[in-house]
């Protein structure tokens, strides 16, 4: 096998198929950081087309079958190669992670959802990705396999910065485990310029019941406001939780959250516009989820 050095955007690449995740790890090791995993190809192939990536080899993991999403030990288990489309139709996902079943409909378009995979979306780590935000909102963990064996990474520790995660160059994502949330109240909003665009801003809210009638355990995750999805500090949620459903308290939290952000200005939106979107949509979702209408989108 040739392992190229001095690669340029014009270089050819090898194509190899992995029949198991262990094969994929072995092949990654042989290429010593020069190879890329090819899953649904919905982010990687555009990056190759644009010459933003020029790997020595593509290791195709499509031969590795994904089992249906299922519940094991109180966690919804989703294999890495599960297509986005499966998340929209799976009864297990709808029942145990309705926030995920809802939000995945906002990923791209039908063509993208037919090919793209959960593992690919997490590994790609776009700061606006819906599946990353929901994995964080649900407090999930990501299963990673490498030469030293399997390890799990809490979603809170997984996303490092733009297109960068805690997965090493010789490791693969094999699956995701999400604490079930069938009794949670939830909401998801995203603002896009056109249908199928990446989110300008997204807000995910999940409220699990508190112990013995206490305050709900609330997680709010924002997409499109930083170099990775952002989990909102619990301190900023305190006003909303102090009087759940009170619009003034919800507004207080939402305003403080928006003011705490330092988003980028880019071609699509200014930093101020992003903060404004966060304030509006977070307020609406906090009112809805903590008030009487919880559970709906
Ligand atoms: P690939 O493109 O095959 O791979 C992406 C990256 O992850 C590569 O670096 C690859 O090496 C790595 N990788 C893949 N699988 C693994 C694994 N198991 N272990 C380790 N590394 C791995 N995404 C959104 O979130 N929201 C959107 O609104 C959205 N809109 C889109 C619109 C269009 C028109 C297109 C083309 C794409 C869009 N996407 C969107 C991206 C889409 O969701 C991708 O499917 C996803 O980001 C990557 O998944 P994939 O399986 O296609 O991965």
């Amino acid at each position: 096998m040739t392992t190229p050095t001095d690669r340029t955007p014009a270089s050819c690449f090898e194509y190899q198929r992995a029949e198991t995740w262990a094969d994929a790890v072995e092949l990654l090791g042989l290429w010593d950081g020069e190879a890329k995993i090819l899953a649904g190809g919905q982010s990687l192939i555009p990056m190759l087309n644009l010459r933003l990536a020029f790997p020595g080899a593509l290791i195709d993991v499509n031969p590795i079958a994904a089992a249906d999403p299922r519940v094991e030990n109180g966690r919804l288990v989703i294999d890495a190669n599960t297509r986005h489309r499966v998340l929209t139709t799976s009864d297990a996902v709808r029942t145990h992670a309705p926030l995920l079943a809802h939000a995945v409909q906002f990923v791209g378009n039908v063509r993208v959802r037919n090919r793209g995979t959960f593992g690919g979306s997490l590994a790609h780590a776009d700061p606006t990705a819906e599946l990353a935000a929901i994995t964080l909102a649900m407090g999930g963990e990501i299963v990673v396999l490498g030469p030293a064996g399997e390890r799990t990474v809490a979603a809170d520790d997984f996303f490092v910065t733009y297109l960068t995660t805690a997965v090493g160059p010789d490791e693969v994502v094999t699956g995701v485990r999400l604490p079930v949330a069938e009794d949670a109240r939830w909401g998801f909003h995203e603002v896009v310029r056109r249908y199928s665009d990446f989110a300008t801003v997204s807000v995910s809210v999940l409220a699990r019941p508190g112990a013995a009638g206490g305050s709900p355990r609330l997680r709010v995750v924002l997409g499109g406001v930083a170099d990775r999805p952002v989990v909102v500090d619990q301190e900023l949620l305190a006003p909303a939780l102090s009087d759940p459903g009170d619009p003034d308290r919800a507004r207080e939290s939402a305003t403080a959250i928006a003011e705490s952000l330092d988003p980028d200005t880019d071609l699509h939106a200014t930093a101020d516009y992003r903060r404004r979107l966060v304030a509006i949509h977070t307020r609406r979702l906090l009112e809805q989820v903590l008030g009487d209408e919880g559970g709906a989108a």
Side-chain angles (χ1 to χ4, degrees), residues 15-25 27-28 36-41 58-66 80-81 83 117 119-120 172-173:
Y15 169 83
Q16 298 180 323
R17 285 165 70 85
E19 302 294 331
T20 65
W21 289 115
D23 281 355
V25 169
L27 286 166
L28 284 174
K36 288 296 250 180
I37 297 292
L38 172 65
L58 293 189
I59 298 170
D60 186 352
V61 294
N62 284 277
I64 306 170
N81 274 356
R83 310 281 171 193
T117 65
V172 290
V173 173

Side-chain angles (χ1 to χ4, degrees), residues 185-187 245 284-297:
R185 296 163 75 113
W186 55 271
R284 288 183 188 161
L285 283 169
L286 287 175
E287 272 184 47
Q288 171 198 308
V289 170
L290 297 177
D292 295 332
E293 299 167 50

Side-chain angles (χ1 to χ4, degrees), residues 60-131:
D60 186 352
V61 294
N62 284 277
I64 306 170
D68 287 339
R70 61 218 173 264
V71 173
E72 290 173 7
N73 303 321
R75 290 183 156 74
L76 180 66
V77 179
I78 304 178
D79 293 345
N81 274 356
T82 304
R83 310 281 171 193
H84 304 330
R85 176 183 50 79
V86 171
L87 305 176
T88 66
T89 55
S90 156
D91 283 341
V93 175
R94 281 192 193 143
T95 305
H96 301 289
L99 171 60
L100 173 61
H102 176 76
V104 72
Q105 301 173 87
F106 293 80
V107 178
N109 51 44
V110 169
R111 184 186 60 75
V112 172
R113 293 193 293 274
N114 275 337
R115 293 299 308 160
T117 65
F118 204 147
S121 179
L122 296 182
H124 185 61
D126 188 296
T128 67
E130 291 82 358
L131 301 186

